[in-house]
Amino acid sequence: MPPHTEHGHNAHAHGHEHGHAHADGHEHERAHGQGGPAAAAHPHPYPHPHPHRWRLLLLLCLAQFLLIADVTVVNVALPAIGGDLGLSASGLTWVVTAYTLFFGALLLVGGRLADRFGARRMFLTGLTLFTAASVASGLAAGGGTLIAARSAQGVGAALLSPAAMALVMALFQGPARHKALGAWAAVGGAGAAVGVLLGGLLADGPGWRWIFYVNLPAGTLALIAVPLLLGPPRHTPGGQAQRRTRVDVPGALLLTAASAALVYGLAERSWPWLAAAVAAGAALALVQRRTRHRLLPAALPGRRALLGGSAVMLGAAGLLVAGFYLSSLHIQHTLGRSPLVTGLAFLPVAVAVTAGAHLGGRAVSRFGWRPVGAAAFALAAAGAALAPTGGLWTGLVPGFAVLALGLGAAFVCATTAALSEVAPEHSGLASGLVGTSHELGAALGVAALASGSFTALPFPALALALAAAALLPTGRPSPTAARAMAH
């Protein structure tokens, strides 16, 4: 989805002098609130502009593009995948949710690992795993193998994405960083739009397996070119201390277990699994109270706004991805249209999300988070109600586009509200939490709504309109935020 790549841009730009990960693998503690003046005093790994920084940005954006496209590209190919592998509706749900589940649940851990072992190393590790899992997905002979490979893709994406952002922050400073972040944000819209079209072209042409095979040449190119262009690792003071940063393994495992049990319980309508999710969540809360290395510090300034914005992000992402899932099956199964037509039908939706984000950013600055958030979800509900009233081009496409327009604004409300009160030294952690909410929201939305139809979407959209009015903070973004981005 387009907003997926925009979660952390403001936050990262605000906090880059407080320990954004360096390309040499010796980073500060910016993502987890353990940095500070001492960390900020370390010299930058690239005191002079890197000679290949723009080429590197292109490759890093390419890697991020693969992660974004792999969400939407699969939706178009679901009927073909189900037919070839004999997957039930529940199995098709897991083809989508397995990827977003592991991507979201492990994203904070991926940031921690990049801190400890180095952004360069974790980028290459994540990209290697993602590329290999993509090939395994294409070669899958059964539904279980495909779902396992998609899970491995999600793990690779969770390692790759924060490390790629860390490399961007290490390579660019000053006004050039603002341009680099703009290019990074544009990857979101391009990834969603090209993903749906590419999925239609490949599923309608050489076959659905090629939606995974195309990751191989792009991933291999980045794996070879990025380390060559970066050059030898550069060392900075404090590197050995940084390597002692601990990763909350029990917390990561419990978060993943709770998320997986919740997704499975919703998808299968299984009360025992939902109870298991609650138990795992309670155990996670207990572990977080007793550990010194929490996934989310209890005393984090701006915690309430961060949690509220993240909750709204979770709901918005779930609604949008569930819309993609339901409409893809409806267009191909009920209306009998081809995958290519389905991909073309989704292009206005991808454009509408981007337009909604742009308009939402302007509206939030003028009217504030709560009214814009509530209005955005109300607009989404109206679009969802319009979608079933006509045919493909007279009902579903314009209705889905209106829904996406509203959700694009909701994404901006959620992101800016979540990051509004977070101090710069906690910006990496905050943006990671927003990203986690996006991915887990996508998984939960598909699991909860997959058994319904587009006619059911207005009700959660209206509920989210009420929730946004309660969860989002009062007020509006600081007028100095845009200037802070250009530091």
Side-chain angles (χ1 to χ4, degrees):
M1 310 300 103
H4 171 78
T5 56
E6 297 183 53
H7 299 332
H9 302 330
N10 288 9
H12 281 290
H14 281 293
H16 69 270
E17 290 301 329
H18 295 268
H20 278 289
H22 296 322
D24 63 350
H26 303 292
E27 299 87 0
H28 306 313
E29 289 282 341
R30 63 86 177 87
H32 312 285
Q34 298 170 17
H42 291 329
H44 197 276
Y46 297 103
H48 304 290
H50 194 289
H52 302 301
R53 58 180 178 164
W54 293 107
R55 295 185 182 91
L56 284 164
L57 176 65
L58 179 63
L59 291 167
L60 295 171
C61 285
L62 172 64
Q64 182 72 5
F65 171 87
L66 298 180
L67 308 187
I68 305 305
D70 253 55
V71 177
T72 56
V73 73
V74 171
N75 281 281
V76 181
L78 285 175
I81 294 173
D84 282 358
L85 301 183
L87 282 170
S88 64
S90 176
L92 289 178
T93 299
W94 278 101
V95 172
V96 177
T97 57
Y99 177 69
T100 53
L101 171 64
F102 283 92
F103 191 173
L106 297 176
L107 194 57
L108 292 177
V109 178
R112 278 284 195 185
L113 292 173
D115 282 346
R116 179 162 186 170
F117 298 107
R120 175 194 186 117
R121 183 180 300 173
M122 295 315 300
F123 171 82
L124 297 176
T125 300
L127 183 56
T128 299
L129 178 57
F130 178 84
T131 305
S134 297
V135 176
S137 297
L139 294 173
T145 304
L146 177 58
I147 293 169
R150 287 284 286 167
S151 301
Q153 273 191 304
V155 176
L159 299 178
L160 189 160
S161 187
M165 170 60 82
L167 288 171
V168 172
M169 300 307 298
L171 289 166
F172 292 92
Q173 302 84 44
R177 177 175 286 177
H178 187 59
K179 295 179 181 178
L181 291 176
W184 184 269
V187 169
V194 176
V196 295
L197 183 58
L198 187 63
L201 287 170
L202 294 175
D204 219 21
W208 64 265
R209 296 181 186 275
W210 285 89
I211 68 176
F212 301 112
Y213 291 153
V214 293
N215 291 337
L216 178 59
T220 302
L221 172 63
L223 280 171
I224 295 173
V226 167
L228 287 177
L229 291 175
L230 275 176
R234 306 195 181 193
H235 299 277
T236 58
Q240 295 304 316
Q242 179 60 33
R243 288 182 182 275
R244 292 194 292 269
T245 299
R246 292 190 57 185
V247 179
D248 182 13
V249 175
L253 292 176
L254 286 169
L255 175 60
T256 306
S259 303
L262 181 57
V263 169
Y264 189 84
L266 290 172
E268 300 294 332
R269 304 299 187 263
S270 170
W271 288 107
W273 279 98
L274 292 174
V278 172
L284 174 62
L286 182 62
V287 167
Q288 291 297 290
R289 288 175 63 90
R290 296 186 176 184
T291 183
R292 295 177 55 192
H293 305 277
R294 298 179 178 182
L295 294 174
L296 184 64
L300 183 67
R303 180 186 175 99
R304 181 173 180 179
L306 174 59
L307 292 177
S310 296
V312 172
M313 173 62 74
L314 186 143
L319 203 59
L320 183 61
V321 178
F324 271 106
Y325 179 89
L326 294 171
S327 57
S328 177
L329 296 179
H330 176 75
I331 293 171
Q332 296 181 67
H333 280 170
T334 306
L335 301 181
R337 303 300 181 92
S338 68
L340 178 57
V341 171
T342 305
L344 292 172
F346 283 162
L347 282 178
V349 177
V351 173
V353 173
T354 306
H358 177 72
L359 296 174
R362 290 174 173 267
V364 165
S365 297
R366 182 172 182 180
F367 301 108
W369 289 297
R370 286 188 174 180
V372 174
F377 282 112
L379 181 62
L386 170 65
T389 60
L392 174 60
W393 302 106
T394 59
L396 182 59
V397 171
F400 197 0
V402 171
L403 178 142
L405 185 72
L407 292 182
F411 281 123
V412 170
C413 283
T415 303
T416 57
L419 305 177
S420 62
E421 301 175 15
V422 176
E425 61 267 27
H426 298 295
S427 58
L429 172 63
S431 59
L433 180 62
V434 176
T436 295
S437 299
H438 182 281
E439 299 305 329
L440 290 182
L444 292 170
V446 173
L449 301 171
S451 62
S453 67
F454 228 92
T455 57
L457 294 185
F459 302 105
L462 289 174
L464 287 168
L466 297 175
L471 293 172
L472 293 174
T474 57
R476 64 194 69 184
S478 168
T480 62
R483 291 194 292 272
M485 279 190 65
H487 283 352

